[in-house]
Amino acid sequence: MKNERIEDGRWDHRKMNTQRRHERDAIKIANLAGQGFIRSEISKKIGVSVDYVSKRAQEFEIEIQRK
């Protein structure tokens, strides 16, 4: 009984929040990429890592310029 996993929708809710956050970040990334910023500049502006920017760009098919 103690080790039984309780399914109360907590993880579904968390997964949905994560997806929404990724979508909001992708919009920010797309806007900054449209202004001509590169990955490192975008990551500094929105306060995330360069790898995170690259993953969101790949996931949402966003073109980012390279210098």
Side-chain angles (χ1 to χ4, degrees):
M1 188 96 154
K2 190 163 86 175
N3 293 333
E4 252 182 59
R5 188 171 178 172
I6 299 172
E7 293 295 332
D8 58 1
R10 211 174 4 182
W11 293 109
D12 293 335
H13 181 67
R14 184 178 176 140
K15 192 174 187 180
M16 287 174 53
N17 285 341
T18 301
Q19 184 60 31
R20 280 191 225 123
R21 186 178 69 246
H22 287 179
E23 290 170 357
R24 284 193 302 264
D25 289 343
I27 291 169
K28 292 177 190 175
I29 291 167
N31 287 337
L32 292 170
Q35 295 174 24
F37 289 100
I38 60 173
R39 281 178 169 76
S40 61
E41 294 170 338
I42 292 171
S43 69
K44 287 178 185 173
K45 286 224 179 245
I46 65 173
V48 296
S49 70
V50 176
D51 289 337
Y52 180 81
V53 171
S54 298
K55 286 179 185 176
R56 296 295 78 83
Q58 185 177 15
E59 180 181 352
F60 292 97
E61 299 175 0
I62 300 168
E63 292 288 326
I64 300 177
Q65 289 185 354
R66 296 182 180 170
K67 281 193 176 175

